[in-house]
């Protein structure tokens, strides 16, 4: 059965394959266009450099009118990422728009890594360190980056 959500996700997937943005990849899980796996690579020349972070995207038949549920599977230490991997990002909540596609979602999350909003913390310890002790924050991020190489 091909619904508007599924057609749109197929279009997003084709676009992602033909013109992938730097440092991100994503694809539907086995035969289910509503469940995606994605990888975001830590941007170069940042504390996140070298990291490979896995995510899942869960779409509903309301997509693109409603945003997907996006979670990091990889362990993260970031002011805007909860312990369960869910992400505090305006475009995934109240600033959602149907113009966003999968590539835009993943690109936004990638840029959030280096440009957190410590005023809206999902992880208060990470937000505090980001604001008060950048060196210790960057050390903790580097630990997460190294763990991302060995995590399965």
């Amino acid at each position: 059965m091909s619904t508007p959500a599924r057609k749109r996700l197929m279009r997003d997937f084709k676009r992602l394959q033909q013109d992938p943005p730097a440092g991100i990849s994503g694809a539907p899980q086995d035969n289910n266009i509503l469940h995606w796996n994605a990888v975001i690579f830590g941007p170069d020349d940042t504390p996140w450099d070298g990291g490979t972070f896995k995510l899942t995207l869960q779409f509903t038949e309301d997509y693109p009118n409603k945003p997907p549920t996006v979670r990091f599977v990889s362990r993260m230490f970031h002011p805007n990422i909860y312990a369960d991997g869910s992400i505090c990002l305006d475009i995934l909540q109240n600033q959602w728009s149907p113009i966003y596609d999968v590539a835009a979602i993943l690109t936004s999350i990638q840029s959030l890594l280096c440009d957190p909003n410590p005023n809206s913390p999902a992880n208060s310890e990470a937000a505090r360190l980001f604001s008060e002790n950048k060196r210790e924050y960057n050390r903790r991020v580097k630990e997460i980056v190294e763990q991302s190489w060995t995590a399965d």
Side-chain angles (χ1 to χ4, degrees):
M1 182 174 112
S2 193
T3 62
R6 290 166 193 268
K7 284 182 185 149
R8 168 65 187 269
L9 284 165
M10 281 306 297
R11 204 170 73 222
D12 286 5
F13 181 48
K14 280 190 185 119
R15 191 175 300 140
L16 203 55
Q17 285 181 306
Q18 289 163 350
D19 186 20
I24 64 169
S25 69
Q29 291 179 15
D30 311 322
N31 301 324
N32 189 345
I33 193 85
L34 297 177
H35 297 268
W36 286 48
N37 290 321
V39 175
I40 292 179
F41 298 96
D44 294 344
D45 304 319
T46 73
W48 300 93
D49 192 352
T52 54
F53 306 105
K54 296 182 175 95
L55 303 95
T56 59
L57 293 86
Q58 176 76 50
F59 297 89
T60 67
E61 293 290 353
D62 295 324
Y63 180 78
N65 296 317
K66 291 215 174 98
T69 302
V70 185
R71 285 209 138 81
F72 276 95
V73 178
S74 304
R75 264 196 63 222
M76 296 300 283
F77 183 76
H78 187 280
N80 306 114
I81 301 171
Y82 290 95
D84 70 357
S86 56
I87 304 160
C88 182
L89 179 63
D90 55 1
I91 72 156
L92 294 175
Q93 279 107 19
N94 55 354
Q95 298 294 311
W96 174 255
S97 165
I99 62 165
Y100 296 122
D101 63 3
V102 174
I105 294 166
L106 294 173
T107 303
S108 297
I109 294 168
Q110 185 186 45
S111 67
L112 179 71
L113 290 181
C114 305
D115 192 16
N117 177 1
N119 301 325
S120 173
N123 177 330
S124 53
E125 184 187 6
R128 185 182 59 75
L129 287 175
F130 180 81
S131 300
E132 298 170 10
N133 187 346
K134 198 65 103 327
R135 199 152 122 196
E136 176 61 15
Y137 173 80
N138 288 343
R139 188 190 70 72
R140 296 278 297 271
V141 167
K142 285 197 181 0
E143 280 179 10
I144 293 292
V145 166
E146 288 176 19
Q147 287 174 11
S148 79
W149 304 333
T150 54
D152 43 28

